[in-house]
Amino acid sequence: MTVGWDRPLGTFFAQAVAIDEEGEEEVIVWEGSYPGELPTPRSAIAVIERYCDVPESLVRELETDRLATLAQTDGPNQQAAKRALIIGEADPPRPKPGT
């Protein structure tokens, strides 16, 4: 199980992985890959709690991780990645000729 905070997307994320009969990893659930999708630590924990035991301290740890990033901003690469993810546009919009 993986759970955490993604500052550039402004969302918590949660992933559960199982090992199949051939020993390969199989993603069971993966949420929090879109902006604001899982807005609270509890929303991320709700995704994984049926697959594992969740320590009581996890809500506090996740919120601490989020708070530690409040002063950070996106750099050019993160801005481009968000544009590509959110609106399918890899480069900043360019003015149209003649405008």
Side-chain angles (χ1 to χ4, degrees), residues 52-67:
C52 65
D53 293 328
V54 177
E56 291 182 28
S57 62
L58 188 57
V59 169
R60 184 176 54 255
E61 291 170 21
L62 290 171
E63 185 60 14
T64 298
D65 288 348
R66 184 189 72 80
L67 291 172

Side-chain angles (χ1 to χ4, degrees), residues 16-39:
V17 177
I19 306 299
D20 67 16
E21 294 175 3
E22 290 83 40
E24 298 292 322
E25 288 187 354
E26 177 183 353
V27 175
I28 298 171
V29 63
W30 187 346
E31 294 185 28
S33 57
Y34 295 96
E37 184 178 354
L38 299 175

Side-chain angles (χ1 to χ4, degrees), residues 9 34-35 78-93:
L9 292 180
Y34 295 96
Q78 289 171 323
Q79 292 172 4
K82 282 170 60 172
R83 282 191 302 274
L85 176 67
I86 298 167
I87 58 176
E89 185 176 284
D91 294 321

Side-chain angles (χ1 to χ4, degrees), residues 1-4 13-17 27-31 44 47-48 51:
M1 303 312 138
T2 303
V3 63
F13 60 88
Q15 184 182 58
V17 177
V27 175
I28 298 171
V29 63
W30 187 346
E31 294 185 28
V47 173
I48 62 164
Y51 303 105

